[in-house]
Amino acid sequence: MSPILIIVFLPLLAAAVAGLVNKSFGAALPKIVTTGSLFVACGLSWPIFLSYLSGLAAPTVTPVLHWMTSGTMSFAWELRVDALTAVMLVVVTSVSALVHLYSWGYMSEEPDQPRFFAYLSLFTFAMLMLVTANNLVQMFFGWEGVGLASYLLIGFWFRKPSANAAAIKAFVVNRVGDLGFMLGIFGVFLVFGTVDIPTILAAAPNHAGSTIGFLGHRFDTITVLCLLLFVGAMGKSAQLGLHTWLPDAMEGPTPVSALIHAATMVTAGVFMVCRMSPLFEQSAVAMHVVMVIGAATCFFAATVGTTQTDIKRVIAYSTCSQLGYMFFAAGVGAYGAAMFHLFTHAFFKALLFLGAGSVIHAMHHEQDMRYYGGLWKKIPLTYAAMMAGTLAITGVGIPALFGNPVAFGFAGFHSKDAIIEAAFASGNTGVFWVGVVVALLTSFYSWRVVFLTFHGKPRWAASEHIQHAVHDAHGHGHDDHAHDDHAHAHAANSHDDHHAHDHGDGTAGYHPHESPLVMLIPLILLSIGAVAAGFVFHGAFIEPSAGETYWHGALAFNEHLMHAMHEVPVWVKLSATVAMLLGLGTAVFAYIVSPGFPAAFAEQVRPLYLFLLNKWYFDELYNLLFVRPAFAIGRLFWKRGDEQTIDRFGPNGAARLVQFGSFGAVKLQSGYLYTYAFVMLIGLTAALTWVIAR
């Protein structure tokens, strides 16, 4: 059997086993089956990726079955593997396998583990189906599959109202993007007569300059198609305007955040744009729109991340910002750099999310960083992992300058700096400066997380959740699953039960504990990726020769831009590093040297602070423009249309008519024999009168 068939369908089989086994089997069997299948898929994916790196592999298409023939439309279910797919295979399977393993510890107290692991594996199958698609309909199948799985995973704790609301929000917002994607697929078939991706990309230059009717006007054909496809990418990858679902998705379990909203599903839009890059290259307008939306998202999310206090939400907005980097890299034509950042981001962002989960686990599910502090001594391994992730995302490294022939640094240093340099080399200086400013903001909010969480004085006593843990430690038991506000309650005896008294030092007598080994192993492995992925693999993605040595036509590779990117002035190469150091210095001053400065500064610029704290008021604006009118229209049709019109004159009206008639019939049914005889006599008299009258 072909390895790609095993990679794609083994997680589906595991999801079916985990979802269908009876609970009497316990949680062990679903965990073993799903986690084992993902490690097998991961083990088969890496040799495929390395074979493309070595130049030994060629693109392959593995047929599965003929899917549909309808008129002139005909397509099969085929699994395409090329250099672009190989990158996504290792990203999806590696992160998913480690998240499965991590969940053994994080979800150990959860009674519905089989359902959780089934959802995880189902999501992985859908994502693998997306990245191996050889036609747009198959890609859409995977696209919708990850949307369904994300809905199930975000709302996994269905007794928690905020989780249900977040799941619905993610589903609805993505439907808006998916409408654009569907229209793009319809338009592509209308223009090209096929949904086969290689055929479309080969024929794209032939349609350059042509026009198509859309919304009553004539527009450039390729521009319309690319913008419609990009609307789908905006929804799935949480770009500005369709981004509001991503931070709320943090209501799901932390492993879900790491898998879906850091490394895999949210990168589907970037992957799709890179897969269709030869089509996008035919429209300068579409490329410009992708670049502008990416840069705007990058800046917006970074500004919001500087004010959030929930550790997972800060990392969520960081994800949104880093996706903006990937899109504006694609918009300037540096698709290799976009995929390189996608690759490195998968490791360090999954590491940051799982590290945050380890912190939350240690702090009795407290997520507010204002109630952390001084944790580096309590959970040193988690601290080391979070430091590795922070060094990677902030781009710490040494540029190739002043006689140093090789740049060396953490993962984000190589990929993010490459995007910033590509923006400058392409002549888009405005986007370049946005990238530099965002690098500063990224450094600031990332180190802010580290300093608030691991340094300074402990502030645990102010946390209601820590107080609850101390209360349990005194022997006051509680319902193991009464914490529907967190939906991940632990038994009272699962926490330290010694020295449970107020120490007077802000610790509330609570003792944070390091996570179990099964949660630490994924952190260690992801730390290796955060440290080394950029240095080891940068040549395969962004060197001028990578178009011939690695990509082999899997995406549009601009060799001239890659040459120019490596030859930018020294100050351009140093700009991101200087910005990183400024962000670090600001965070050190604000949270180590002068801890009272942030509150004082926020008070001085209170309108700006509230603007950023409330996420530029996008949710409030959408609530005013879309949610309230939608509910008002719904109530109108419900009350006036359904109840007062259809029901009133339809089934309810007929029922009332029957009821009214029954009242009259009841009065005639007296039960007395002489009454019935009198009525019969009247009837007979009436009949005789009618006959005589005729």
Side-chain angles (χ1 to χ4, degrees), residues 224-264:
V224 171
L225 298 182
C226 289
L227 290 181
L228 288 173
L229 293 174
F230 181 60
V231 170
M234 288 177 62
K236 198 65 70 182
S237 294
Q239 293 301 283
L240 190 65
L242 296 178
H243 68 280
T244 53
W245 67 271
L246 183 63
D248 287 11
M250 298 303 104
E251 293 292 342
T254 298
V256 172
S257 304
L259 177 62
I260 299 180
H261 310 295
T264 50

Side-chain angles (χ1 to χ4, degrees), residues 143 172-182 228-229 231-236 242:
W143 196 272
V172 170
V173 173
N174 272 278
R175 295 293 72 72
V176 176
D178 292 349
L179 174 62
F181 193 27
M182 284 191 291
L228 288 173
L229 293 174
V231 170
M234 288 177 62
K236 198 65 70 182
L242 296 178

Side-chain angles (χ1 to χ4, degrees), residues 149-416:
S150 68
Y151 169 80
L152 296 173
L153 285 165
I154 296 168
F156 175 75
W157 287 321
F158 55 85
R159 294 185 182 89
K160 184 180 177 185
S162 59
N164 286 327
I168 293 172
K169 186 175 183 179
F171 197 81
V172 170
V173 173
N174 272 278
R175 295 293 72 72
V176 176
D178 292 349
L179 174 62
F181 193 27
M182 284 191 291
L183 292 175
I185 295 174
F186 300 156
V188 166
F189 179 74
L190 179 67
V191 172
F192 293 92
T194 181
V195 291
D196 182 68
I197 293 175
T199 305
I200 294 166
L201 300 183
N206 300 331
H207 294 272
S210 64
T211 61
I212 188 173
F214 183 68
L215 300 177
H217 300 277
R218 303 293 298 183
F219 298 98
D220 181 77
T221 301
I222 303 298
T223 298
V224 171
L225 298 182
C226 289
L227 290 181
L228 288 173
L229 293 174
F230 181 60
V231 170
M234 288 177 62
K236 198 65 70 182
S237 294
Q239 293 301 283
L240 190 65
L242 296 178
H243 68 280
T244 53
W245 67 271
L246 183 63
D248 287 11
M250 298 303 104
E251 293 292 342
T254 298
V256 172
S257 304
L259 177 62
I260 299 180
H261 310 295
T264 50
M265 184 183 113
V266 293
T267 61
V270 181
F271 166 80
M272 187 268 286
V273 170
C274 290
R275 172 63 82 197
M276 305 300 293
S277 55
L279 185 67
F280 278 80
E281 283 288 307
Q282 304 305 315
S283 171
V285 174
M287 294 279 286
H288 188 74
V289 170
V290 172
M291 179 187 70
V292 171
I293 294 294
T297 305
C298 193
F299 178 74
F300 154 77
T303 60
V304 175
T306 61
T307 61
Q308 301 303 300
T309 57
D310 185 311
I311 188 171
K312 286 175 64 177
R313 283 183 179 267
V314 175
I315 302 173
Y317 277 106
S318 171
T319 298
C320 196
S321 181
Q322 299 302 308
L323 289 166
Y325 268 120
M326 299 175 205
F327 275 111
F328 86 64
V332 302
Y335 301 100
M339 288 303 301
F340 186 30
H341 197 50
L342 185 156
F343 180 75
T344 60
H345 176 264
F347 293 104
F348 63 71
K349 187 51 64 67
L351 173 61
L352 288 171
F353 264 118
L354 295 185
S358 185
V359 173
I360 295 168
H361 181 268
M363 296 299 290
H364 198 73
H365 303 281
E366 175 60 72
Q367 296 182 195
D368 195 325
M369 296 184 295
R370 293 174 295 182
Y371 305 130
Y372 290 169
L375 287 176
W376 73 273
K377 292 182 180 179
K378 302 292 184 179
I379 47 175
L381 294 177
T382 299
Y383 173 61
M386 289 287 283
M387 281 294 294
T390 302
L391 291 168
I393 191 174
T394 56
V396 175
I398 303 173
L401 300 171
F402 312 119
N404 175 31
V406 179
F408 178 78
F410 291 82
F413 166 76
H414 291 276
S415 58
K416 185 169 66 176

Side-chain angles (χ1 to χ4, degrees), residues 49-109:
F49 175 60
L50 295 176
S51 67
Y52 278 96
L53 282 181
S54 62
L56 299 177
T60 61
V61 175
T62 303
V64 178
L65 53 85
H66 182 76
W67 195 350
M68 185 181 296
T69 298
S70 178
T72 59
M73 175 181 282
S74 179
F75 50 86
W77 204 325
E78 300 171 329
L79 305 180
R80 179 177 183 82
V81 178
D82 57 14
L84 187 60
T85 305
V87 174
M88 297 304 295
L89 288 179
V90 297
V91 167
V92 174
T93 58
S94 298
V95 174
S96 183
L98 294 176
V99 166
H100 275 73
L101 181 61
Y102 180 92
S103 300
W104 283 47
Y106 193 87
M107 304 294 287
S108 60
E109 301 291 333

